[in-house]
Amino acid sequence: QLQLMQSGGGSVQAKGSLRLSCTASRSSASMAWFRQTPGKERAGVAAIDIHGKIQYVDSVKGRFTISQDNAMTTLHLEMNSLQPEDSGVYYCAASLTDIGPSLYLPFYTLWGQGTQVTVSS
């Protein structure tokens, strides 16, 4: 059974940086980061697949970087130039099926415990 354990996050002022990490108990085919804010659905932020293909939501392009180790067991999200609207609970997600670098939530069946990111203005 694949398990995901997240670390990182916290509070930072606007224009600051944070790094999120997610360690999996085994490799997966696609991994992603999602963000959820109060009253809103969980939405995809960045995704990467086993072939190294990457996709970002438009709002984080040029500021966030998703990366993984070669074994596809550790996922990172480097977040720079953070803005208050980047705040939320971030979840890592994994799919054992190769779905490409998808940001479509229903494709993912395995989830981390979530970590809070708070950006103050």
Side-chain angles (χ1 to χ4, degrees):
Q1 179 71 19
L2 175 64
Q3 294 182 327
L4 304 176
M5 183 62 66
Q6 296 180 224
S7 61
S11 298
V12 67
Q13 290 188 330
K15 300 183 182 180
S17 298
L18 286 172
R19 190 184 198 210
L20 304 180
S21 297
C22 176
T23 301
S25 56
R26 53 160 289 185
S27 61
S28 54
S30 296
M31 298 187 78
W33 290 99
F34 285 76
R35 177 174 64 214
Q36 188 165 25
T37 55
K40 294 188 177 180
E41 295 184 353
R42 199 172 296 185
V45 174
I48 188 168
D49 71 7
I50 196 169
H51 309 290
K53 295 181 181 178
I54 290 172
Q55 180 174 190
Y56 296 102
V57 68
D58 286 346
S59 62
V60 307
K61 287 180 179 177
R63 300 187 298 120
F64 289 15
T65 302
I66 189 171
S67 63
Q68 65 187 33
D69 67 345
N70 290 335
M72 280 291 283
T73 57
T74 304
L75 183 72
H76 301 290
L77 185 67
E78 191 74 36
M79 304 183 291
N80 298 314
S81 300
L82 283 162
Q83 303 165 6
E85 51 265 38
D86 295 319
S87 298
V89 179
Y90 283 72
Y91 295 89
C92 68
S95 170
L96 299 181
T97 302
D98 186 357
I99 57 172
S102 177
L103 296 177
Y104 187 53
L105 186 147
F107 283 168
Y108 292 91
T109 57
L110 301 157
W111 294 88
Q113 78 274 23
T115 187
Q116 179 71 44
V117 170
T118 302
V119 184
S120 57
S121 58

